[in-house]
């Protein structure tokens, strides 16, 4: 996955280059990503209390989704209280809302 290795500004540049080269083409992964992102934003609003996620956080959750699509598993690590559990739980709920089976261990 190229995007997870790029900085936020480089992701925008990379996507811009791809859209210039492949004009009017929407990949199935883009369509799925948009569906998952929409479900993710809905889930954040439905939480009690509602969770506020920045575009950067949404991007990181979508990168987790991409990593899990390409690998058997992955590890999320970081400081306590930084949203690791919220990220994977939100992704799991969003994928379920989109009708995708999620298996967590």
């Amino acid at each position: 996955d190229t995007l997870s290795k790029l900085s936020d500004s480089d992701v925008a540049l990379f996507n811009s280059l791809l859209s210039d080269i492949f004009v009017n083409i929407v990949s199935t992964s883009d369509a799925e990503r948009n569906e998952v992102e929409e479900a993710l934003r809905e889930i954040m609003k439905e939480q009690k209390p509602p969770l506020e996620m920045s575009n950067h956080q949404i991007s990181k959750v979508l990168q987790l989704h991409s990593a899990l699509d390409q690998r058997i598993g992955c590890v999320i690590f970081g400081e306590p209280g930084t949203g690791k559990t919220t990220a994977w739980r939100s992704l799991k709920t969003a994928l379920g809302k989109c009708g995708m089976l999620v298996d967590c261990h």
Side-chain angles (χ1 to χ4, degrees), residues 19-33:
S19 66
D20 287 347
I21 295 168
F22 302 103
V23 180
N24 298 327
I25 294 179
V26 177
S27 73
T28 55
S29 62
D30 288 342
E32 180 182 301
R33 180 184 170 100

Side-chain angles (χ1 to χ4, degrees), residues 94-105:
L95 292 174
K97 198 169 199 171
C98 294
M100 299 175 208
L101 178 64
V102 180
D103 195 14
C104 294
H105 301 283

Side-chain angles (χ1 to χ4, degrees), residues 8 11 33 40 54-64:
D8 288 339
V11 167
R33 180 184 170 100
L40 191 57
S54 69
N55 288 333
H56 178 75
Q57 291 167 313
I58 296 276
S59 172
K60 291 299 178 186
V61 173
L62 293 172
Q63 286 176 16
L64 172 62

Side-chain angles (χ1 to χ4, degrees), residues 8-9 14 21 28 40 46 48 61 63 69 71 74 78 88 104:
D8 288 339
S9 60
F14 180 76
I21 295 168
T28 55
L40 191 57
E46 293 169 358
K48 300 290 183 212
V61 173
Q63 286 176 16
D69 277 348
R71 294 169 184 82
C74 66
W88 74 260
C104 294

